[in-house]
Each structure stands twice: as structure tokens, then as C-alpha cells.
């Protein structure tokens, strides 16, 4: 039930771009993206609903391909503040039952 | 007020102790959740309350006992825990509508069982 994320870790220089992928073997209704900094709680970034929409949040955007049950998070012109662990999360037509992916640790260096 | 407040922030307890974790939100959210997070792992769903009723229990051992006294409060009662229960316990809340909404997480309680 847990979605699979890739890559597990990414190291970037400021200004570089990154893509984080999330896939599920189950039919999904929605995909969430969260960022968690060390020692802090996960922070909600965005949610994508079935329908293939793409959403954006400043220089962070995401897409959801419901046919493939895959979502991708795009980080453009990364900033130091983007460092943290990114989790996708999915609900399988029960949006009170929500599972996080394995996480992608992003480290943005000056 | 867009926060979920958890207390205490840190807790050390012995295996024979009884303690409680508390969570409070004033965003009018009617779904509240307990998650457990081990180091370098994703949060794992434990319990879901919807309109103050327990709707999901992810086969959590009975030494963890959730309680939702009202729409703003969520407790997690702990008794006879094991060292492997040491983890960050996160509370979250969300709206309950016909469309899914993002979750707001508290900062967590870091629990150490000795």
C-alpha cells in the first residue's frame, strides 16, 4: 500500500533543478506532497486529484498521471530552503486512509 | 489559528509507566490522526478519528489507546510500552469533505521508552 519514491537522495547546488517520482501499484484518488525538515513536522506542499492536473507552489510544481498511478514533483532553481525530506502520500479512494512514500532526501548546497 | 499543538514535546517513560500524549487544533477540522515516525522512515498511520469517532485503527497494539474527547482534542494513552515504541509521534488534522485536503501536522512528541 505504501507508494514507492525515487530517487532516495539527491544532492543539488543552488539554482539546479530536481525531479522526485512517486508511484503506486494501487488505483489512486489523490496524491499529496510534503516536505519535512530535520527535527520538524511534515509540511503540506500540495495535493493533486485524479484528473491529471498539475499544480504549482512558487518554484515547486507537481503532476499526477492517473493512468500510470504516478506523480512527479518538480523543483526549479532550487534554494537552500528546499533542503529536507520530501514525502509523497497517497489515498486509495479513502482519503482518511493515507500512506506516505519512503521519502527522498534533498540536500541543496551553496 | 492554523496550528496543531502537541504536548509534551519530549517524553521519557519506563516500561511500566502510564502516560498520555495530547494534541489540540482550532481549525475546525473534523478528522484527526496519530502517526508514528521512526528515524529516517516515513510516518506510519496509527489511528484516524472522523467526527470524534474512531474510523481507522491500523492494527496498533493495545498498549496504545486513542481518545477523542471533542472535536478539538486528541489524546494517545500509553501503557506498558516497549523500547521499540520509541519514536516521534505526530498528530495531524484535516477537513472532512467530499474532496481530500492536505493534512496539518503538529510538531510531534519525541518518545523514549527506557
Amino acid at each position: 500500500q505504501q507508494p514507492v519514491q525515487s530517487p532516495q537522495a539527491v544532492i543539488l547546488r543552488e539554482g539546479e533543478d530536481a525531479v522526485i517520482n512517486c508511484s503506486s501499484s494501487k488505483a489512486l484518488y489523490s496524491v499529496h506532497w510534503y516536505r519535512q525538515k530535520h527535527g520538524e513536522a511534515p509540511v503540506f506542499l500540495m495535493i493533486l486529484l485524479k484528473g491529471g492536473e498539475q499544480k504549482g507552489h512558487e518554484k515547486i510544481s507537481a503532476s499526477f498521471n492517473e493512468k500510470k498511478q504516478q506523480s512527479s514533483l518538480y523543483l526549479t532553481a532550487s534554494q537552500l530552503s528546499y533542503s529536507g525530506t520530501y514525502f509523497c502520500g497517497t489515498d486509495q479512494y479513502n482519503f482518511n486512509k493515507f500512506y506516505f512514500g519512503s521519502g527522498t532526501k534533498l540536500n541543496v548546497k551553496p | 489559528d492554523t496550528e496543531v499543538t502537541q504536548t509534551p514535546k519530549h517524553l521519557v517513560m519506563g516500561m511500566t509507566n502510564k502516560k498520555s500524549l495530547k494534541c489540540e487544533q482550532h481549525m475546525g477540522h473534523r478528522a484527526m490522526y496519530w502517526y508514528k515516525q521512526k528515524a529516517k522512515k516515513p510516518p506510519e498511520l496509527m489511528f484516524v478519528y472522523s467526527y470524534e469517532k474512531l474510523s481507522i485503527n491500523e492494527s496498533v497494539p493495545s498498549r496504545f489507546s486513542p481518545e477523542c474527547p471533542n472535536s478539538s482534542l486528541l489524546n494517545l494513552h500509553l501503557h506498558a510500552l516497549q523500547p521499540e515504541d520509541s519514536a516521534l509521534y505526530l498528530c495531524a488534522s484535516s477537513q472532512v469533505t467530499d474532496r481530500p485536503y492536505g493534512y496539518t501536522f503538529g510538531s510531534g512528541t519525541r518518545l523514549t521508552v527506557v
Side-chain angles (χ1 to χ4, degrees), chain A residues 58-103:
Chain A
E58 297 179 345
K59 294 181 181 176
I60 301 174
S61 61
S63 62
F64 177 25
N65 184 326
E66 64 188 84
K67 289 184 179 179
K68 294 184 177 180
Q69 308 304 327
Q70 291 177 350
S71 178
S72 294
L73 185 72
Y74 307 95
L75 300 116
T76 306
S78 58
Q79 305 169 11
L80 295 176
S81 61
Y82 287 3
S83 293
T85 300
Y86 288 78
F87 292 103
C88 68
T90 56
D91 72 74
Q92 294 146 24
Y93 289 87
N94 178 350
F95 34 92
N96 278 348
K97 200 165 186 178
F98 175 79
Y99 297 98
F100 282 93
S102 46

Side-chain angles (χ1 to χ4, degrees), chain A residues 3-76:
Chain A
V4 177
Q5 283 184 239
S6 63
Q8 288 187 330
V10 181
I11 298 175
L12 296 176
R13 293 287 179 191
E14 262 187 301
E16 292 182 338
D17 302 339
V19 180
I20 300 172
N21 299 304
C22 174
S23 64
S24 173
S25 59
K26 304 279 188 181
L28 301 176
Y29 185 76
S30 72
V31 178
H32 302 214
W33 286 95
Y34 291 82
R35 176 172 61 213
Q36 185 176 30
K37 292 183 181 283
H38 182 68
E40 299 180 10
V43 173
F44 173 69
L45 294 176
M46 66 189 76
I47 185 171
L48 300 103
L49 303 182
K50 178 182 173 182
E53 63 183 52
Q54 183 154 354
K55 300 192 76 171
H57 178 75
E58 297 179 345
K59 294 181 181 176
I60 301 174
S61 61
S63 62
F64 177 25
N65 184 326
E66 64 188 84
K67 289 184 179 179
K68 294 184 177 180
Q69 308 304 327
Q70 291 177 350
S71 178
S72 294
L73 185 72
Y74 307 95
L75 300 116
T76 306

